[in-house]
Amino acid sequence: MPSSRAYLLLGHLLFLGLFLLAYIHAVPRVVHVDSAFQFFKWTEVPGIAVEAHRYTAIIPQLLVKLAMGLGLPLKGLTVVASLAHVLVPYLIFLVIGHGMKQPWLAMGVVLAQVLATRLTFYGIVLEANYLLSYPFLLAAVLAGPKARSNDRRSFLLALAALLLMLLVHPLGAFVALFVLLHHRLNGSVGSRQLYVLMGLAVLWPFVGRLLFQPTSYESGLYTALEEGFAGPVRFSELPGFRYLVDHTANYTTHYLLLWCALVLLVSLLVRRKAWSITVLVLGAIAGFILIHVWAYHAGETAMMMEKNFLPLAVFVALPLSVELGRTSARHQWWGLVPFALVLFIQFRGISFASRPARERVDRIAALVEHGREAGVRKACADPRALDDDGLHIHWALAFETLLLSAQDGAEQSVTVVASTECVTNGTCVDLSELVDGHRICGEGDRYYQLPNGPYVLLSAH
């Protein structure tokens, strides 16, 4: 059996494990801050919701809409949403490995899913997750036999794959340019079509700003990047850099295997004197780290900090998978054991990372139960009391409590808003500041049913 088949089998096994985790932890993955907010919109607001112009991140939403049309209850939709976020990279893995017959790039998809992922597995609406699979689709199209002959159809496929990346995340252009340069420096002949794709990737940060106005959050990051660059704090003391160091050796060893894989990659590149690719890899990693450490110089939550560094996995996994495909069959067989060990260790880390997500859901469940015991289904809670109970990050609490309480039926719905100022004259649960002017009123809703009347301030419990 060719070694590539054994590697592909490992890929299928890893994705099977990820699907199992996504099923087991469906509620913590969906009922979590941003995820809860977006999932509520998917199930309650008509049409397709596109967040921050990220048009190519809607596949899970489409699957949830399809499941709604088939009549699945909210609990089933929650599972569909959780599984869908694993299904996207798995389909790309299948297309590349079995459809396009490029097993080593398919293994790059597999490695990228876990190399820098731990907490972010439980943050399913982080669009940076898509940058762990879309780049390999572009690389596979570029490496195809027809692409090497400047076939027009292959150029259109490459353009479509490039647009997938450009429209999924603001840093998609950075990662796409890395993929294109790696392809060019890896021995391919330069062509007009390839340079057109490079030009589009380079110009996109400027063209994209003209076509799609940046959100206030994105604009704030540009300002923060300037402040971080010019700030008085030493780079080594900034939260982002400390996060990488602490989660390499001090608190966890989450990034240790990423750096080990990078050392292996550089040694393989140096061995065959691929100096230009070595510079590209190290430069991309250094540049990416600089951008995020400066942009988030004020600090962020652990999950968001990890999200910032997710694409580092691509800068290692893509060229490493290509180098692995260059080695002899004997070396590929020898590499199978350490490859499987890396996947197992990182998968184990993802599994253990479910604990904080589960703890948050348990605290939300306790809050919902407290409201039910008090006979309150529309409640306000003091943010300071929530902090004391370990329930931090409050802006999406109304959606988290609503989604969790409605899992066993719309009539079980409870919502809790983190505010000491309760509405006393409203007849609807007014979430207009967060959900496009939409309201949940009366008892006619399909998934969420809340009584008319005012909010009630919950007492401490």
Side-chain angles (χ1 to χ4, degrees):
M1 180 177 70
S3 58
S4 60
R5 291 186 184 179
Y7 279 88
L8 286 175
L9 178 59
L10 279 180
H12 287 289
L13 291 175
L14 175 74
F15 274 110
L16 175 60
L18 294 177
F19 275 119
L20 288 174
L21 286 182
Y23 176 80
I24 294 170
H25 302 295
V27 171
R29 276 163 54 85
V30 175
V31 183
H32 183 274
V33 194
D34 303 71
S35 305
F37 167 56
Q38 288 197 15
F39 182 73
F40 174 82
K41 292 180 69 173
W42 297 354
T43 57
E44 188 67 15
V45 181
I48 303 298
V50 177
E51 301 292 334
H53 315 301
R54 301 179 183 185
Y55 294 94
T56 55
I58 64 171
I59 297 176
Q61 180 181 177
L62 295 176
L63 293 176
V64 169
K65 294 286 186 180
L66 175 61
M68 290 173 62
L70 296 176
L72 263 67
L74 187 66
K75 183 176 289 187
L77 299 181
T78 303
V79 173
V80 169
S82 182
L83 295 177
H85 282 274
V86 179
L87 180 63
V88 172
Y90 183 58
L91 289 177
I92 291 176
F93 165 75
L94 292 177
V95 168
I96 295 175
H98 297 282
M100 303 176 75
K101 306 298 182 183
Q102 298 189 46
W104 300 113
L105 281 176
M107 293 319 300
V109 178
V110 173
L111 186 59
Q113 299 309 304
V114 298
L115 201 53
T117 299
R118 189 172 63 97
L119 293 174
T120 44
F121 185 77
Y122 305 94
I124 61 176
V125 300
L126 298 174
E127 284 82 356
N129 286 322
Y130 293 87
L131 291 180
L132 301 180
S133 54
Y134 285 177
F136 294 91
L137 190 59
L138 173 60
V141 173
L142 293 173
K146 291 185 177 180
R148 292 194 290 269
S149 62
N150 294 326
D151 178 72
R152 179 178 295 181
R153 180 171 173 269
S154 294
F155 170 73
L156 293 177
L157 287 175
L159 180 61
L162 176 62
L163 290 176
L164 279 178
M165 298 177 61
L166 299 180
L167 293 173
V168 80
H169 193 275
L171 285 171
F174 187 101
V175 182
L177 185 60
F178 172 83
V179 175
L180 294 165
L181 287 172
H182 177 264
H183 176 72
R184 175 65 185 87
L185 298 175
N186 202 41
S188 67
V189 178
S191 67
R192 183 176 63 180
Q193 295 178 347
L194 180 61
Y195 293 132
V196 167
L197 296 174
M198 288 183 183
L200 180 56
V202 170
L203 293 175
W204 183 256
F206 309 99
V207 176
R209 286 177 65 90
L210 294 176
L211 296 177
F212 312 110
Q213 184 176 357
T215 63
S216 57
Y217 177 75
E218 185 180 336
S219 298
L221 288 180
Y222 297 138
T223 303
L225 179 60
E226 297 176 5
E227 295 173 349
F229 174 74
V233 182
R234 293 174 55 187
F235 184 84
S236 61
E237 296 176 358
L238 291 174
F241 183 79
R242 294 307 314 167
Y243 183 84
L244 286 175
V245 173
D246 289 339
H247 289 279
T248 296
N250 296 334
Y251 299 152
T252 70
T253 56
H254 171 50
Y255 290 109
L256 181 59
L257 289 179
L258 172 69
W259 306 130
C260 290
L262 176 60
V263 170
L264 173 61
L265 169 62
V266 171
S267 65
L268 291 173
L269 292 172
V270 170
R271 182 180 179 182
R272 71 179 184 93
K273 299 181 180 180
W275 306 115
S276 57
I277 299 180
T278 303
V279 171
L280 173 65
V281 170
L282 296 179
I285 291 175
F288 205 84
I289 291 174
L290 287 173
I291 289 172
H292 283 90
V293 170
W294 282 328
Y296 291 89
H297 66 278
E300 252 295 356
T301 63
M303 180 177 289
M304 292 300 290
M305 201 72 78
E306 183 182 304
K307 177 269 298 182
N308 296 336
F309 298 118
L310 278 178
L312 290 177
V314 176
F315 303 142
V316 175
L318 174 60
L320 183 57
S321 65
V322 173
E323 295 303 314
L324 185 60
R326 284 175 173 268
T327 61
S328 65
R330 180 169 175 266
H331 286 137
Q332 289 169 1
W333 278 112
W334 276 110
L336 189 64
V337 173
F339 189 88
L341 187 61
V342 168
L343 296 185
F344 172 77
I345 292 174
Q346 295 301 89
F347 175 82
R348 181 173 177 267
I350 292 173
S351 179
F352 285 175
S354 65
R355 181 176 178 179
R358 281 284 176 186
E359 288 176 348
R360 181 174 180 85
V361 167
D362 290 342
R363 292 187 176 101
I364 294 172
L367 186 63
V368 168
E369 189 58 31
H370 177 52
R372 286 173 175 163
E373 290 175 354
V376 178
R377 294 177 61 194
K378 291 166 56 179
C380 293
D382 188 336
R384 292 170 299 182
L386 295 173
D387 284 333
D388 292 340
D389 288 339
L391 193 57
H392 309 288
I393 312 176
H394 308 139
W395 71 265
L397 185 63
F399 306 105
E400 292 174 302
T401 50
L402 187 59
L403 290 176
L404 187 61
S405 62
Q407 290 292 307
D408 293 321
E411 67 282 355
Q412 301 294 321
S413 299
V414 173
T415 190
V416 181
V417 179
S419 174
T420 55
E421 298 180 3
C422 290
V423 179
T424 59
N425 56 357
T427 58
C428 299
V429 176
D430 190 352
L431 303 174
S432 60
E433 293 184 2
L434 297 175
V435 194
D436 305 331
H438 196 75
R439 290 182 167 206
I440 309 174
C441 303
E443 299 180 353
D445 193 272
R446 180 177 177 182
Y447 299 112
Y448 318 100
Q449 295 178 8
L450 291 162
N452 293 325
Y455 293 87
V456 175
L457 182 62
L458 277 181
S459 59
H461 68 288

